[in-house]
Amino acid sequence: MSDLEHTVDRQASGLDAFLAEVAEMLGQASLLTGAACAPYEIDVAHCRGKAAAVVFPRDTHSVSVLMRLAVRHRIRLVAQGNRSGLVGGAVTDNSGKQVIVSLTRMRQVREIDPLNRTVIVEAGALLSQLNRTLESHSLYFPIDIGSDPAIGGLIGANAGGSRLLKHGDVRHNLLGIEVVLADDDGTVVQLLAPLRKNNTGLDLKQLFVGTGGAFGIITAATLELKRIDQSTQSVFVALPDHGTALEVLQAFEHQFGDLLCAFEVISDAALAITLRNFPTLRHPFGQSSASCYALIEIASSMPGLHSLFAQRTEQVLEELYESGRVHDAVLGNSSSFWPLRDNLPLAIAKEGIPLSFDVAFSRSRLVAFRDQAAQWLQREHPLLQLYDFGHFADGGCHLIVLVPHAHIAQYGIAKVVAVRSGIYKLVSENGGCFSAEHGVGPVNAAYYSKYTAPEVQKISRAMQYLMDPQAVLGRYRYT
Ligand SMILES: Cc1cc2nc3c(=O)[nH]c(=O)nc-3n(C[C@H](O)[C@H](O)[C@H](O)COP(=O)(O)OP(=O)(O)OC[C@H]3O[C@@H](n4cnc5c(N)ncnc54)[C@H](O)[C@@H]3O)c2cc1C
């Protein structure tokens, strides 16, 4: 499109009028255009778009004004947290007509209630910032992930993380929400009451959880908090194979019940590539010693349990070792092992182009899927490398298929699509889902259409039309 055509197009779309009104009503300082938008146009997964502008509302009223203007001028708004989402949902498309709404100026912690163990916090606050603020109350928000998301982004993605086994995902820890709707008035819906029980009708807040900003822009949330763990025990275990990992999981669940808070499995190949690319990290056993490993954590907010945890861990490990289900194990604290797990995706990306799959199964199908995927890749795509790790206890598997630097030229778009389709077919055949934690966005939209039940698609479409009839919200339309 030529510059002239672009200008005519912008005027026709009402974009210039929209931006002028935003500047007038929210102040020029709340608006970026042109090259200044660049840092906000790309996310952590390198999804990139071209935005017409980035707007930084300071409060809920500003978001409401913005929404009113967007509806009037039919401008698409894309809510943005800390851009750590992995499905491209927080960046615009390439049209140069969509506008990013960055919540970075809305980071206030509005109210902490230590007695009720709740906090009301604005959507742009970062998880790390919130947890630092809560520390003096011995409280924290128990979603534990390797990135540093904003609260709005956590809700938009319904993040899970490494301690989902014990604490559940965001949905399970969310008590309330404040959200701005895409209607003529930019209606603000306040559902922030810090209630654990409320059966007075439709639980409307759930509509905004895990739906990537498609139904409204979240401005604040009420979160249920947990007491900071006082007794913890971590252990890194070498295992003969992935199947045995499930037996070890059962043994730990049997011994520790709901005190078991994390059970991550990492393949030997995934651990090796991490150590190769992060030379300051150390192999817990000195060298490769197994087909896969489990990082296990037991935790309680009750003080004084550490020696009991250590004693019972040794006891269960001894039994597992005797029966050949564990090759080796080292006990440590959480900071000794988690860097190995958290740096894994970054390490893999250093050696080529990673094709990531965030999939989930019933525990009983997890290993079958993993083995079938490995065999299929070896047969159909021998140049590619497979790295798998994930929240095993939740049935979660992060599978990364790496196109090594040396073979990138051979892997054009058609072959990449063939790899994705082949893996997702196996996911479906094993009763799994194509997006376990990361949601639906431009990166995996094609598989939503293919693998989501038609009746669910129909209802989602109708809901989206009801909530956003002018199509002014989010990257994804449930079309
Ligand atoms: C190293 C690494 C490790 C990760 N580990 C995990 C993990 O273990 N588990 C997991 O679940 N995820 C994980 N993630 C993914 C990511 O961190 C989460 O999806 C997170 O919730 C995204 O938060 P964000 O603030 O960066 O959101 P963004 O990426 O900015 O946005 C995510 C989505 O939410 C929408 N959104 C943002 N703010 C709002 C708002 N105010 N109102 C409405 N919609 C909004 C966006 O439009 C977008 O669709 C990981 C990412 C990285 C880089």
Side-chain angles (χ1 to χ4, degrees):
M1 194 184 280
S2 71
D3 280 358
L4 179 62
E5 280 170 326
H6 203 238
T7 310
V8 170
D9 196 61
R10 280 166 63 108
Q11 282 166 352
S13 71
L15 188 55
D16 288 342
F18 167 79
L19 293 178
E21 284 188 58
V22 171
E24 187 189 324
M25 298 185 75
L26 302 189
Q28 191 64 49
S30 26
L31 193 63
L32 289 180
T33 53
C37 298
Y40 301 89
E41 290 176 331
I42 183 164
D43 68 15
V44 72
H46 301 284
C47 292
R48 190 189 284 274
K50 183 84 203 96
V54 186
V55 185
F56 301 88
R58 289 194 171 278
D59 52 25
T60 304
H61 175 70
S62 310
V63 178
S64 171
V65 169
L66 192 59
M67 197 72 101
R68 250 178 5 232
L69 295 176
V71 170
R72 189 185 320 145
H73 294 286
R74 305 219 174 158
I75 301 299
R76 180 72 70 92
L77 301 179
V78 178
Q80 190 175 87
N82 206 23
R83 301 192 305 282
S84 72
L86 298 172
V87 292
V91 289
T92 62
D93 67 10
N94 280 313
S95 66
K97 294 179 189 171
Q98 301 183 341
V99 171
I100 293 168
V101 182
S102 168
L103 279 293
T104 45
R105 290 189 192 163
M106 292 185 62
R107 291 194 162 162
Q108 211 190 324
V109 177
R110 290 188 191 165
E111 185 185 312
I112 300 173
D113 183 345
L115 174 65
N116 202 36
R117 273 196 292 105
T118 51
V119 64
I120 299 178
V121 59
E122 290 187 341
L126 296 179
L127 182 60
S128 60
Q129 170 212 342
L130 175 66
N131 282 337
R132 268 196 309 277
T133 309
L134 294 169
E135 227 173 80
S136 59
H137 300 279
S138 299
L139 296 170
Y140 78 120
F141 187 56
I143 302 299
D144 178 46
I145 59 183
S147 57
D148 190 13
I151 300 305
L154 274 176
I155 299 169
N158 186 29
S162 303
R163 290 176 173 84
L164 181 140
L165 178 64
K166 184 169 178 191
H167 300 295
D169 55 15
V170 168
R171 191 186 298 284
H172 287 90
N173 296 278
L174 180 73
L175 299 183
I177 206 168
E178 178 186 86
V179 64
V180 178
L181 302 184
D183 59 17
D184 292 341
D185 300 324
T187 302
V188 178
V189 183
Q190 269 238 353
L191 301 166
L192 289 171
L195 303 176
R196 287 181 174 77
K197 299 196 279 189
N198 183 352
N199 280 346
T200 53
L202 181 72
D203 188 2
L204 187 63
K205 67 176 180 293
Q206 298 298 349
L207 186 58
F208 307 94
V209 184
T211 45
F215 294 108
I217 297 186
I218 300 155
T219 47
T222 306
L223 308 175
E224 178 169 19
L225 306 172
K226 296 284 160 68
R227 293 196 66 75
I228 290 177
D229 289 327
Q230 301 296 326
S231 307
T232 58
Q233 177 66 65
S234 300
V235 56
F236 203 83
V237 179
L239 301 163
D241 52 54
H242 283 75
T244 311
L246 288 171
E247 294 176 34
V248 173
L249 167 62
Q250 273 186 304
F252 271 84
E253 279 194 330
H254 186 69
Q255 187 65 250
F256 290 102
D258 55 13
L259 298 179
L260 181 65
C261 80
F263 193 98
E264 299 281 311
V265 169
I266 304 170
S267 71
D268 187 46
L271 184 61
I273 197 171
T274 308
L275 293 165
R276 195 157 63 234
N277 287 286
F278 287 89
T280 54
L281 297 176
R282 290 278 159 264
H283 196 299
F285 304 108
Q287 59 181 10
S288 168
S289 56
S291 134
C292 62
Y293 305 88
L295 196 178
I296 306 167
E297 194 166 284
I298 299 121
S300 169
S301 57
M302 185 173 166
L305 296 179
H306 184 259
S307 41
L308 177 72
F309 285 176
Q311 186 195 336
R312 286 205 173 191
T313 301
E314 278 165 19
Q315 193 184 322
V316 71
L317 284 172
E318 230 172 85
E319 284 164 22
L320 291 165
Y321 184 78
E322 286 294 320
S323 58
R325 287 174 289 172
V326 156
H327 284 342
D328 207 348
V330 247
L331 273 62
N333 58 35
S334 52
S335 59
S336 24
F337 306 128
W338 283 101
L340 294 170
R341 163 67 179 83
D342 290 340
N343 285 306
L344 240 153
L346 295 175
I348 296 169
K350 287 183 186 215
E351 296 201 6
I353 296 183
L355 310 177
S356 298
F357 299 85
D358 157 45
V359 292
F361 304 87
S362 147
R363 283 180 183 174
S364 59
R365 299 302 303 164
L366 193 52
V367 177
F369 161 75
R370 192 246 163 222
D371 291 348
Q372 288 165 22
Q375 284 161 17
W376 180 80
L377 273 170
Q378 207 165 35
R379 197 175 59 240
E380 303 292 329
H381 299 275
L383 298 178
L384 305 186
Q385 297 166 4
L386 175 68
Y387 298 98
D388 65 283
F389 56 100
H391 318 306
F392 216 64
D394 321 330
C397 175
H398 292 305
L399 199 85
I400 299 187
V401 176
L402 184 74
V403 186
H405 286 307
H407 303 304
I408 287 174
Q410 284 124 292
Y411 270 81
I413 187 76
K415 272 196 160 174
V416 166
V417 169
V419 174
R420 286 203 183 280
S421 301
I423 297 284
Y424 284 132
K425 184 165 174 287
L426 292 174
V427 171
S428 169
E429 285 167 4
N430 282 287
C433 71
F434 72 92
S435 182
E437 298 188 307
H438 301 156
V440 181
V443 166
N444 57 7
Y447 303 99
Y448 172 86
S449 312
K450 188 162 181 187
Y451 290 115
T452 305
E455 52 276 26
V456 175
Q457 293 195 36
K458 189 175 160 196
I459 294 169
S460 305
R461 247 189 330 266
M463 298 285 286
Q464 194 169 35
Y465 183 72
L466 178 73
M467 299 298 291
D468 180 19
Q470 310 286 3
V472 299
L473 277 180
R475 275 309 301 282
Y476 193 64
R477 300 298 299 172
Y478 295 96
T479 49

